[in-house]
Amino acid sequence: MIRGFIFDLDGVLVDTPNLHFAAWRKVARSLGFDLNESQYEELKGLNREASLIQILDWGNTKLSSQEFNDLMVQKNEWYLEMTATMISDDALPGVHEFLKAAKDLKLKIGLGSASQNARKILDQVKMTNYFDVIIDGTQTTKSKPDPQVFELGTKKLNLRPSSIVVFEDSKAGIKAAIDGGFKSVGIGDRKTLNAASMVYKGLYATSPLKVIEQFNFKS
Ligand code: BG6
Ligand code: MG
């Protein structure tokens, strides 16, 4: 029995993955190398620190902890500049409708995001009020693919992982959902997210009822 939905933010509710990536590319270029499309997929879902560790590894670059922290701050400044003008209309297609329909079904609704900017972005796109619980990068110590972010949300919702569907656009997030015992729906490319139980191009392409029916049919 499905009782709750937990949504990732970046790439599921808002179209920000390309902005995170653009800011990380600026970081990489400032260090003398570049990032490519397949690295873009690998970075999705990782928190800020884990992302920079991965990027430095790709660039074969070592930094002092001061330089590391300064670059994380710099990346975030670039990211915030890029998202400063985001408003309600910048939600991905069908998201407001999907969240409203989930509320109408009396499902519990959580956010499980690695981003420390999650609350700010949710406020900008006027989505905060849909959520019964918001877990973001300010409350977690482990990056996806660790399931911690979803487990914290689940505890606060007082539900079991098996009664929750996680919606994710990243490979790391789908792995986190599966490892935590959650049901998983991929949002994006079917090939990239093939570990998920089902994949849709966007929330516009389905509805809460359809997702629940599909899981009931599977079990
Ligand atoms: C995730 C994104 O949601 O949040 C990552 O997929 C990003 O690309 C991560 O690095 C951390 O975000 P922030 O806003 O805390 O730097
Ligand atoms: Mg994401």
Side-chain angles (χ1 to χ4, degrees):
M1 178 86 175
I2 307 291
R3 299 191 185 279
F5 284 174
I6 295 184
F7 297 88
D8 172 48
L9 173 69
D10 296 303
V12 172
L13 306 180
V14 288
D15 193 9
T16 43
N18 48 344
L19 304 181
H20 278 294
F21 188 62
W24 282 129
R25 264 189 110 176
K26 276 183 132 184
V27 168
R29 285 172 176 175
S30 77
L31 296 169
F33 57 95
D34 204 353
L35 301 174
N36 61 39
E37 283 291 313
S38 71
Q39 289 168 327
Y40 173 51
E41 283 308 328
E42 299 302 319
L43 286 179
K44 283 184 188 172
L46 303 190
N47 71 17
R48 205 178 300 170
E49 190 185 356
S51 302
L52 186 52
I53 290 172
Q54 176 62 79
I55 289 166
L56 293 178
D57 187 47
W58 285 327
N60 249 319
T61 305
K62 292 216 185 332
L63 297 180
S64 69
S65 63
Q66 184 64 50
E67 289 167 328
F68 188 96
N69 288 333
D70 289 350
L71 266 187
M72 285 205 295
V73 170
Q74 174 66 81
K75 184 269 174 178
N76 198 46
E77 279 172 10
W78 281 327
Y79 178 69
L80 289 179
E81 270 168 30
M82 294 177 201
T83 52
T85 55
M86 277 183 83
I87 53 165
S88 181
D89 287 351
D90 292 318
L92 279 166
V95 168
H96 283 288
E97 293 77 1
F98 193 96
L99 291 170
K100 269 184 212 137
K103 275 252 164 268
D104 289 345
L105 290 176
K106 308 264 180 283
L107 292 163
K108 294 273 180 227
I109 301 185
L111 187 88
S113 168
S115 177
Q116 297 176 49
N117 298 302
R119 278 190 178 267
K120 183 176 184 304
I121 300 283
L122 277 185
D123 279 350
Q124 280 179 237
V125 295
K126 302 218 168 6
M127 278 184 205
T128 310
N129 288 342
Y130 292 115
F131 290 90
D132 298 299
V133 62
I134 293 175
I135 307 292
D136 62 24
T138 65
Q139 299 155 74
T140 50
T141 52
K142 297 175 190 166
S143 176
K144 295 171 189 174
D146 190 284
Q148 185 192 43
V149 64
F150 301 134
E151 286 167 353
L152 288 174
T154 306
K155 264 190 211 140
K156 291 220 170 145
L157 292 175
N158 208 9
L159 294 175
R160 289 168 204 276
S162 58
S163 67
I164 293 183
V165 181
V166 167
F167 295 81
E168 260 292 349
D169 71 313
S170 69
K171 290 200 282 185
I174 293 292
K175 180 168 178 0
I178 294 169
D179 287 356
F182 297 87
K183 303 205 162 26
S184 61
V185 172
I187 298 296
D189 176 57
R190 192 171 294 278
K191 268 194 222 139
T192 312
L193 302 173
N194 60 358
S197 294
M198 56 190 89
V199 180
Y200 295 101
K201 284 206 161 65
L203 291 177
Y204 68 86
T206 183
S207 71
L209 209 52
K210 272 193 202 152
V211 168
I212 289 172
E213 278 170 5
Q214 292 266 17
F215 278 112
N216 287 343
F217 182 69
K218 276 175 185 278
S219 58

